[in-house]
Amino acid sequence: MYHRYDGGWIEVVCGSMFSGKTEELIRRLKRAQYAKQKTQVFKPALDDRYHQNNVSSHAGTQIEAIVVESVEDIAAQLNDNTEVVGIDEVQFFGWEIVEFCDKLADMGKRVIIAGLDMDFRGEPFGPVPVLMAQAEAVDKLQAICMVCGAPASRTQRLVAGKPAPYDAPIILVGTEEVYQARCRRCHTVPKVQNQ
Ligand code: ZN
């Protein structure tokens, strides 16, 4: 299923939490490294769940990564001779990531990006849907619904054990909240009543 595009290209690995996105990103990057291709991996500073200078999957595999604050930061640290560029948690970058990835692909680089395609509300997450549109290849991975066991495409956000309401902030790091993979039927987002 993988074609060779000598002019560079973009691959997107997306899906809900617990769908194995980062695992798949790491697998592809390690394959490139085995082939002695020059790789660089970036992740946003916001994601501090695991080791700082690694991208780590829930399954425990990891790869060395450069922690960056912004797209400009990636541009500043990118080596000219890098052939494969991996970016994890791409949903946390601003819209400038779209043009940036396009430019890297135009320069002949293989760009592999992983991220959430939907936020906890089940709505498109920032620039990821646009990246999916401009990519040569998109893989949307499924998790398993933690309620009913069906294939799961959505991320359920629970705050203090209850489904987070629609207008809760999208990005909250380090607070007491839990995420679950859920199917469309079990995914719950309470709308706040207008008073
Ligand atoms: Zn379900």
Side-chain angles (χ1 to χ4, degrees), residues 91-157:
Q91 74 277 359
F92 291 133
F93 289 99
W95 285 93
E96 58 273 23
I97 194 75
V98 172
E99 193 184 338
F100 181 72
C101 288
D102 226 15
K103 199 174 84 184
L104 294 184
D106 288 345
M107 289 163 67
K109 299 184 192 303
R110 178 183 176 193
V111 183
I112 313 173
I113 52 191
L116 294 165
D117 55 329
M118 286 188 277
D119 62 26
F120 74 92
R121 301 165 178 152
E123 294 181 345
F125 204 141
V128 179
V130 179
L131 289 163
M132 291 164 73
Q134 71 180 190
E136 273 73 13
V138 176
D139 286 284
K140 180 158 172 162
L141 306 183
Q142 302 274 323
I144 302 291
C145 177
M146 295 178 184
V147 175
C148 76
S153 60
R154 294 168 187 241
T155 302
Q156 178 71 51
R157 182 183 186 191

Side-chain angles (χ1 to χ4, degrees), residues 2-185:
Y2 296 104
H3 302 278
R4 174 86 197 228
Y5 297 89
D6 287 330
W9 72 96
I10 300 171
E11 298 164 35
V12 174
V13 180
C14 64
S16 68
M17 285 184 72
F18 310 107
S19 63
K21 297 182 299 295
T22 300
E23 186 80 5
E24 177 61 19
L25 174 71
I26 293 170
R27 188 186 73 84
R28 293 185 190 187
L29 289 163
K30 286 200 167 165
R31 271 194 330 177
Q33 290 176 349
Y34 296 145
K36 308 276 185 243
Q37 294 178 342
K38 292 189 171 57
T39 64
Q40 275 187 291
V41 188
F42 300 93
K43 68 170 190 176
L46 193 66
D47 176 40
D48 59 359
R49 287 176 300 174
Y50 302 105
H51 307 287
Q52 267 299 311
N53 296 310
N54 285 305
V55 166
S56 304
S57 71
H58 292 290
T61 58
Q62 58 182 46
I63 197 164
E64 193 182 327
I66 300 164
V67 179
V68 289
E69 300 286 343
S70 63
V71 172
E72 294 72 32
D73 204 3
I74 300 177
Q77 302 202 58
L78 188 70
N79 299 325
D80 287 344
N81 62 355
T82 294
E83 297 162 275
V84 183
V85 181
I87 305 173
D88 197 21
E89 303 286 1
V90 72
Q91 74 277 359
F92 291 133
F93 289 99
W95 285 93
E96 58 273 23
I97 194 75
V98 172
E99 193 184 338
F100 181 72
C101 288
D102 226 15
K103 199 174 84 184
L104 294 184
D106 288 345
M107 289 163 67
K109 299 184 192 303
R110 178 183 176 193
V111 183
I112 313 173
I113 52 191
L116 294 165
D117 55 329
M118 286 188 277
D119 62 26
F120 74 92
R121 301 165 178 152
E123 294 181 345
F125 204 141
V128 179
V130 179
L131 289 163
M132 291 164 73
Q134 71 180 190
E136 273 73 13
V138 176
D139 286 284
K140 180 158 172 162
L141 306 183
Q142 302 274 323
I144 302 291
C145 177
M146 295 178 184
V147 175
C148 76
S153 60
R154 294 168 187 241
T155 302
Q156 178 71 51
R157 182 183 186 191
L158 299 169
V159 177
K162 295 208 174 81
Y166 181 88
D167 58 357
I170 288 178
I171 300 173
L172 262 183
V173 174
T175 53
E176 284 186 41
E177 57 180 353
V178 170
Y179 291 93
Q180 292 182 339
R182 290 199 185 181
C183 70
R184 178 185 289 274
R185 198 169 56 96

